[in-house]
Amino acid sequence: MTAYAAVIGHPVAHSLSPAIHNAAFAALGIDARYEAVDVAVGDVPEVVDRMRSERWLGMSVTMPHKEAVIASLDDLTPIARSLGAVNCVFFDGDALVGDNTDGAGVVWALRERLDVDPVGRRVVVLGAGGAARACIAALAEVGAASIVVVNRSVERAVSAAALAPEVGRALELADPQAEHEVVAADIVINATPQGMAGADAGESGGSAADGPAHVPGAGQVALDLVYHPLRTRWMERAEARGAQAANGVGMLVGQAAVAFERWTGRPAPTDAMWAAVADRLG
Ligand code: NAP
């Protein structure tokens, strides 16, 4: 019988996850189908019940359900527990377990797309929202030497830096020390929406299209979590200064690959997954 998996969200029609996972199933000859299911706020318990009774292979969870889904699950992985957010649900025996693979996706992107291992590296994360928090927890777990969280609101920076208890520090975006930290870093990650098509500059000043004001240079790695446009101005500015840069497609494929491995127990065919995204995004 054909196995079933889905991403739940609201809205979810734009999701690239069906293309990525269906390409992976096809590449490995797994008889499974993955769909995007629009689930209204409040209907999450019902869809989790369906997953349980119909024994779905797996479920991805996207906005706005990443926190709400937790109440319907039996258990959480340590990283999902510390983040308080779930993007992947899998069966462990009969128990439904919530995981968060977003940060592992960032680690994958650094290793596989930028050829840099974050172990022992000094990292600056620009932003302190959901994507930043996932990065920070995963980078601390793999052993980054330091993680400096630079954010507009210092309270959110402090909360995010606490996810990296030994190595995390928080700085307000307006603090002059932030530029020194960026200059001293090995890896700088843009985890804000700045530079995304249609983003608003807000209080950051300058043009939203240019991305964050802090830009890494020679000998440094710039990972932009934005992938629309595929080549952001921030990546271009970093490359012009001599940095090695990549966009957010690596995180997208990486988080999906880790979820796929949870569901199937098999190594994810990341080339096929990457090709599916490239096909969709051009
Ligand atoms: P979020 O929870 O809304 O957090 C946004 C963060 O960006 C906050 O820290 C916010 O600062 C900061 N920020 C927003 N506008 C800013 C501005 N104009 N100037 C300075 N800082 C600003 O969003 P998220 O879910 O973490 O997502 C962040 C970005 O990551 C997304 O826009 C997307 O481009 C990217 N992303 C990529 C993937 C992927 O698979 N590649 C997955 C998820 C997200 P305050 O705390 O001060 O408000």
Side-chain angles (χ1 to χ4, degrees):
M1 203 177 78
T2 305
Y4 184 77
V7 53
I8 63 163
H10 184 68
V12 76
H14 63 281
S15 173
L16 292 168
S17 294
I20 297 174
H21 286 290
N22 285 321
F25 292 141
L28 295 188
I30 295 173
D31 183 12
R33 186 167 52 91
Y34 184 111
E35 288 178 353
V37 180
D38 198 304
V39 174
V41 174
D43 289 348
V44 173
E46 196 181 305
V47 79
V48 174
D49 281 350
R50 260 187 67 202
M51 176 177 186
R52 228 183 258 283
S53 60
E54 295 172 10
R55 196 80 196 186
W56 293 4
L57 180 62
M59 182 163 78
S60 309
V61 183
T62 188
M63 301 303 285
H65 303 316
K66 287 185 171 188
E67 289 91 21
V69 74
I70 291 173
S72 303
L73 304 177
D74 302 309
D75 204 357
L76 297 175
T77 60
I79 201 146
R81 192 181 308 282
S82 65
L83 292 170
V86 160
N87 77 332
C88 159
V89 180
F90 63 97
F91 274 104
D92 180 8
D94 286 331
L96 275 182
V97 182
D99 192 10
N100 193 309
T101 66
D102 280 337
V106 170
V107 172
W108 184 88
L110 288 169
R111 287 183 174 149
E112 303 299 325
R113 306 305 301 187
L114 284 158
D115 202 23
V116 58
D117 192 330
V119 177
R121 302 298 176 124
R122 293 160 298 180
V123 184
V124 169
V125 177
L126 305 173
R133 291 172 63 85
C135 276
I136 293 159
L139 289 167
E141 191 177 73
V142 299
S146 65
I147 303 173
V148 180
V149 184
V150 175
N151 196 49
R152 208 167 45 174
S153 120
V154 74
E155 294 81 10
R156 288 183 88 192
V158 169
S159 159
L163 292 162
E166 306 290 324
V167 296
R169 276 185 296 131
L171 277 180
E172 190 175 354
L173 181 60
D175 190 325
Q177 180 62 23
E179 181 60 18
H180 297 298
E181 297 293 348
V182 168
V183 169
D186 301 304
I187 299 167
V188 182
I189 299 174
N190 174 31
T192 78
Q194 295 173 95
M196 200 163 77
D200 179 4
E203 294 159 27
S204 62
S207 155
D210 281 345
H214 295 296
V215 182
Q220 296 179 293
V221 164
L223 177 61
D224 200 338
L225 301 190
V226 172
Y227 57 83
H228 181 53
L230 285 171
R231 244 178 98 65
T232 65
R233 281 284 300 133
W234 190 71
M235 286 169 62
E236 287 175 352
R237 289 158 69 211
E239 281 175 352
R241 291 182 180 197
Q244 200 194 343
N247 64 18
V249 172
M251 174 185 180
L252 181 68
V253 171
Q255 60 79 26
V258 179
F260 183 92
E261 289 171 6
R262 281 278 192 212
W263 300 333
T264 65
R266 295 175 63 176
T270 50
D271 287 350
M273 298 168 96
W274 191 273
V277 178
D279 188 47
R280 291 289 294 267
L281 296 180

